C-alpha cells in the first residue's frame, strides 16, 4: 500500500490525523472553559474540517479540493497564531501574572502553536515540490 507514495502524500496523511487528534484536545479544553470567548470556536470548527479535507486529499487529488484545503490550512495557521496571543494574554490575567505556576495551570500556551504547526505541515504537504 505504501509503495510508490510520494513524501508529500505521507505528510498530508500525517497532518490529517494530527489535526483530527488535536481537534479532540482543543474541544475538551475549550468545553472545560465553557467557550467563554468567541475565538475559542475557531480551532474547534477549523481543525476537524482541515483534518477531513486533508484526509480526502490523500485519496482524491482534485484541484478544487486542494484549493479549499489550502484556504482552510491557512485559516488554521491564523487561528493558531491568534490563539497563541489569547493564551499568553490569559496566563497574564491570572493572579500574579506571568509566573511559572500560571503557565502550568493556565491556558496551554503551546497548543495553539501546535494547531498552527500542523496546519503549516498540511500546507507543506499540499505544495511540496521535489
Amino acid at each position: 500500500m505504501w509503495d510508490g507514495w510520494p513524501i508529500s502524500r505521507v505528510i498530508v496523511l500525517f497532518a490529517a490525523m494530527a489535526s483530527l487528534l488535536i481537534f479532540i484536545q482543543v474541544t475538551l479544553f475549550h468545553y472545560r472553559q465553557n467557550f467563554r470567548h468567541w475565538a475559542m470556536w475557531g480551532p474547534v470548527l477549523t481543525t476537524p474540517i482541515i483534518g477531513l479535507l486533508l484526509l480526502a486529499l490523500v485519496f482524491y487529488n482534485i484541484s478544487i479540493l486542494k484549493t479549499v484545503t489550502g484556504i482552510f490550512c491557512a485559516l488554521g495557521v491564523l487561528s493558531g497564531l491568534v490563539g497563541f496571543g489569547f493564551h499568553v494574554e490569559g496566563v497574564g490575567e491570572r493572579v500574579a501574572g506571568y509566573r511559572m505556576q500560571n503557565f502550568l495551570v493556565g491556558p496551554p500556551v503551546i497548543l495553539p502553536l501546535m494547531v498552527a504547526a500542523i496546519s503549516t505541515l498540511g500546507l507543506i504537504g499540499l505544495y511540496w515540490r521535489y
Side-chain angles (χ1 to χ4, degrees):
M1 176 179 168
W2 292 96
D3 291 338
W5 275 32
I7 189 67
S8 59
R9 192 173 186 186
V10 176
I11 289 171
V12 168
L13 177 62
F14 178 83
M17 301 314 294
S19 185
L20 293 172
L21 291 172
I22 287 177
F23 158 68
I24 295 168
Q25 189 63 59
V26 165
T27 302
L28 290 172
F29 278 141
H30 289 171
Y31 178 78
R32 182 179 70 181
Q33 294 301 316
N34 296 316
F35 293 94
R36 283 191 264 190
H37 192 276
W38 62 269
M40 289 180 166
W41 286 102
V44 171
L45 297 174
T46 58
T47 52
I49 294 171
I50 291 167
L52 293 174
L53 285 170
L54 287 169
L55 192 59
L57 200 58
V58 169
F59 300 104
Y60 305 103
N61 191 8
I62 303 168
S63 63
I64 187 69
L65 182 60
K66 188 174 181 179
T67 302
V68 171
T69 304
I71 291 168
F72 271 94
C73 284
L75 287 173
V77 172
L78 181 63
S79 177
L81 295 175
V82 169
F84 174 71
F86 281 132
H87 281 221
V88 169
E89 182 181 338
V91 169
E93 289 175 357
R94 298 183 66 83
V95 175
Y98 295 102
R99 292 182 47 223
M100 180 55 76
Q101 181 65 23
N102 289 340
F103 280 98
L104 296 173
V105 298
V109 176
I110 299 303
L111 190 58
L113 294 177
M114 289 300 299
V115 171
I118 294 300
S119 297
T120 301
L121 186 63
L123 287 170
I124 290 170
L126 284 175
Y127 299 108
W128 182 274
R129 297 284 183 247
Y130 51 90

